């Protein structure tokens, strides 16, 4: 039974994230399956309208995917009462103005992260959203990944005992663009365009740590630009003004220490592009995008340091895989469905603008730590 259709303004669908993850894998996949299922078994269908600056590109995407509504006029779409939700996957530095417009138009707002380029901008959006009283959410996609959902299950079960430390390794080699095209947009490497691995990834690490292990209370970080010159989408050489690697230490509530390397200048020798090892008094876990494996205290083999003998242990084989026990689906789609259910129910979305602001703040403090060479405490962020 289809109960109703909600108009969704999608801004930034010509971009990498907006197109692949949000339009194709989320909103169109939901539309294809008949809408978001509600607790009473009824469904809410989504009716997207694609908005962008380039008429030809927006029209082409709309026609390719049988999306009837598209426009280059955001203000007109915002003034249409048929549109209930505004979604933003534009470049970070142009997001603020569009979200302000959407809030003023009384729309519910879901947005890519980082919500803003600085904490004051993020907080001003969080305040405006609270005053307007509409549902607001920021993409927290990593929390919906199978590997991290299983890690959360392991942590919540108490299997790990007291958590001591987290070791996170994120990254891969992003081509410089000279003899092979780069697999990320060039703005990622220009600070003036909102780029940088700290701004990009610390926003993720903040919510991953906060929701699975513990809130970040202090940060010490070193951000570096290892590759100073790259080649852009048009074959032009440009100066990389943003950091392409960051080495961070995060002190968490309850005393655990997280060390996370974030890098676009590392070659992969891991099972997955992101991996977190969590060690506790009673057990350990290693989680990636998809998998999560554990080793308990009683099953911990005795490792002995002996540089005179070849290694006898196959350490990777000494772990047990945590079963899925569920179908997880696409992480972005899962959060879209939760956001739509929250809109329909008229309740707050748990990963709101204030949570997004905390992510922006961690990036800001990480850069501050790197520039000053000092540890920086993270206080409470209130509206
Ligand atoms: N959740 C995640 O894991 C994740 C991953 C990558 C990027 N992101 C975020 O998603 C957003 C988009 O990143 P992307 O990698 O898709 O970038 P992209 O360059 O592929 O796309 C950017 C989009 O913004 C639009 N745009 C560019 N300049 C604009 C301007 N001046 N005014 C209005 N629109 C403009 C482009 O037309 C395009 O639609 C960023 O905020 C980024 O931080 C999130």
């Amino acid at each position: 039974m289809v109960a109703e259709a909600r108009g969704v303004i999608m801004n930034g669908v010509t971009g990498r994230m907006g197109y692949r993850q949000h339009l194709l894998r989320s909103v169109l996949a939901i539309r294809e399956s008949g809408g978001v299922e509600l607790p009473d078994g009824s469904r809410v269908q989504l009716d997207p309208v694609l908005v962008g600056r380039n008429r030809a590109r927006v029209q082409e995407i709309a026609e390719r995917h049988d999306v009837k509504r598209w426009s280059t006029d955001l203000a007109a779409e915002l003034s249409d009462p048929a549109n209930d939700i505004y979604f933003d996957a534009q470049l970070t530095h142009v997001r603020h103005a569009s979200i302000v417009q959407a809030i003023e138009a009384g729309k519910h707002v879901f947005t890519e992260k980082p919500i803003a380029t600085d904490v004051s901008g993020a907080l001003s959006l969080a305040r405006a959203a609270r005053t307007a009283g509409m549902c607001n959410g920021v993409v927290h996609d990593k929390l919906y990944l199978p590997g991290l959902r299983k890690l959360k299950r392991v942590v919540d079960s108490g299997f790990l005992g007291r958590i001591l430390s987290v070791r996170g390794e994120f990254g891969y080699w992003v081509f410089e663009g000279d003899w092979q095209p780069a697999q990320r947009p060039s703005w990622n490497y220009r600070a003036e365009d909102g780029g940088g691995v700290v701004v990009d990834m610390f926003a993720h690490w903040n919510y991953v740590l906060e929701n699975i292990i513990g809130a970040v209370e202090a940060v010490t970080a070193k951000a570096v630009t290892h590759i100073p010159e790259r080649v852009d989408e048009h074959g032009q050489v440009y100066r990389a003004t943003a950091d392409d690697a960051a080495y961070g230490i995060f002190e968490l509530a309850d005393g655990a220490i997280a060390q996370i390397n974030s890098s676009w200048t590392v070659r992969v020798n891991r099972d997955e592009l992101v991996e977190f090892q969590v060690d506790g008094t009673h057990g350990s876990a290693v989680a990636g995008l998809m998998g999560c494996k554990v080793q308990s205290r009683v099953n911990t083999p005795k490792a002995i340091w002996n540089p005179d003998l070849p290694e006898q242990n196959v350490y990777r084989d000494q772990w047990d895989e945590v079963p899925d026990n569920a179908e997880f689906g696409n992480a972005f789609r899962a959060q879209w469905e939760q956001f739509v259910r929250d809109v329909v129910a008229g309740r707050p979305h748990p990963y709101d603008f204030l949570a997004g602001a905390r992510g922006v703040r961690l990036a800001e403090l990480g850069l501050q730590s790197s520039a000053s060479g000092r540890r920086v405490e993270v206080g409470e962020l209130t509206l």
Side-chain angles (χ1 to χ4, degrees):
M1 177 181 73
V2 176
E4 54 186 320
R6 300 269 173 158
V8 181
I9 302 168
M10 300 192 73
N11 198 2
V13 286
T14 58
R16 205 170 58 106
M17 297 306 293
Y19 180 68
R20 269 198 247 146
Q21 297 301 343
H22 295 284
L23 181 64
L24 297 196
R25 313 257 359 239
S26 299
V27 171
L28 293 186
I30 289 170
R31 187 179 75 169
E32 182 84 356
S33 69
V36 176
E37 190 172 353
L38 300 178
D40 66 1
S42 65
R43 283 178 177 272
V44 178
Q45 187 52 286
L46 301 182
D47 177 18
V49 50
L50 310 188
V51 174
R53 296 163 303 160
N54 185 322
R55 167 181 292 270
R57 292 187 63 197
V58 178
Q59 180 175 11
E60 194 273 317
I61 291 176
E63 285 171 358
R64 193 189 319 155
H65 296 290
D66 194 26
V67 175
K68 297 280 178 286
R69 302 193 301 143
W70 60 271
S71 170
T72 54
D73 188 347
L74 175 61
E77 294 307 323
L78 286 171
S79 67
D80 183 346
N83 295 324
D84 215 14
I85 296 171
Y86 171 75
F87 170 71
D88 195 303
Q90 298 180 95
L91 290 190
T92 311
H93 71 287
V94 294
R95 176 168 298 141
H96 190 275
S98 304
I99 292 186
V100 167
Q101 267 182 283
I103 292 172
E104 284 170 355
K107 306 299 174 192
H108 305 289
V109 181
F110 186 41
T111 177
E112 255 300 350
K113 48 59 61 183
I115 178 175
T117 50
D118 56 28
V119 178
S120 65
L123 278 178
S124 76
L125 292 180
R127 284 192 198 102
R130 187 182 61 173
T131 307
M134 19 63 67
C135 199
N136 56 98
V138 179
V139 168
H140 277 45
D141 54 293
K142 308 291 177 271
L143 288 183
Y144 296 80
L145 289 168
L148 291 189
R149 287 170 75 166
K150 287 182 277 188
L151 175 63
K152 180 151 174 62
R153 199 193 292 159
V154 171
V155 171
D156 291 351
S157 75
F159 174 88
L160 301 174
R162 181 168 60 84
I163 293 178
L164 310 174
S165 63
V166 179
R167 236 163 287 255
E169 195 67 53
F170 160 83
Y172 49 94
W173 193 269
V174 176
F175 292 131
E176 299 86 332
D178 47 2
W179 54 279
Q180 293 194 66
Q183 64 271 46
R184 296 186 66 93
S186 60
W187 67 265
N188 282 190
Y189 304 90
R190 290 189 295 266
E192 60 277 22
D193 291 339
V197 81
V198 170
V199 169
D200 192 350
M201 299 315 296
F202 280 27
H204 287 296
W205 307 151
N206 187 71
Y207 69 71
V208 166
L209 293 169
E210 169 177 287
N211 286 284
I212 302 180
I213 314 286
V216 179
E217 294 186 339
V219 56
T220 309
K222 180 73 186 165
V224 189
T225 308
H226 287 303
I227 307 283
E229 208 173 74
R230 291 177 176 268
V231 176
D232 71 13
E233 294 79 358
H234 311 292
Q236 301 295 316
V237 174
Y238 67 97
R239 211 160 67 80
T241 49
D243 44 282
D244 54 21
Y247 308 90
I249 300 175
F250 308 91
E251 295 170 46
L252 310 183
D254 294 335
I257 307 293
Q259 283 173 274
I260 305 181
N261 294 327
S262 315
S263 179
W264 291 318
T265 49
V266 65
R267 296 187 174 88
V268 180
N269 182 9
R270 275 169 260 132
D271 292 333
E272 304 204 52
L273 295 192
V274 67
E275 276 183 358
F276 297 95
Q277 173 161 342
V278 186
D279 288 299
T281 51
H282 286 62
S284 297
V286 177
L289 297 170
M290 294 291 165
C292 180
K293 54 195 180 183
V294 291
Q295 187 175 97
S296 71
R297 186 182 184 198
V298 293
N299 285 337
T300 306
K302 186 175 184 177
I304 296 177
W305 180 266
N306 186 344
D308 298 324
L309 286 180
E311 184 58 65
Q312 300 296 313
N313 283 297
V314 183
Y315 292 108
R316 284 186 197 277
D317 291 350
Q318 297 166 352
W319 296 73
D320 293 318
E321 205 60 50
V322 177
D324 286 358
N325 292 347
E327 282 208 17
F328 293 113
N330 176 276
F332 291 88
R333 176 177 176 174
Q335 189 175 0
W336 265 98
E337 290 180 334
Q338 186 173 356
F339 186 77
V340 169
R341 285 189 196 106
D342 291 338
V343 165
V344 172
R347 65 184 170 224
H349 184 66
Y351 311 120
D352 61 5
F353 282 7
L354 188 58
R358 289 196 292 276
V360 173
R361 180 186 50 172
L362 187 62
E364 212 166 275
L365 297 183
L367 289 173
Q368 192 181 311
S369 166
S370 182
S372 66
R374 289 174 189 277
R375 168 183 178 273
V376 179
E377 292 200 357
V378 179
E380 204 180 324
L381 197 62
T382 49
L383 285 180

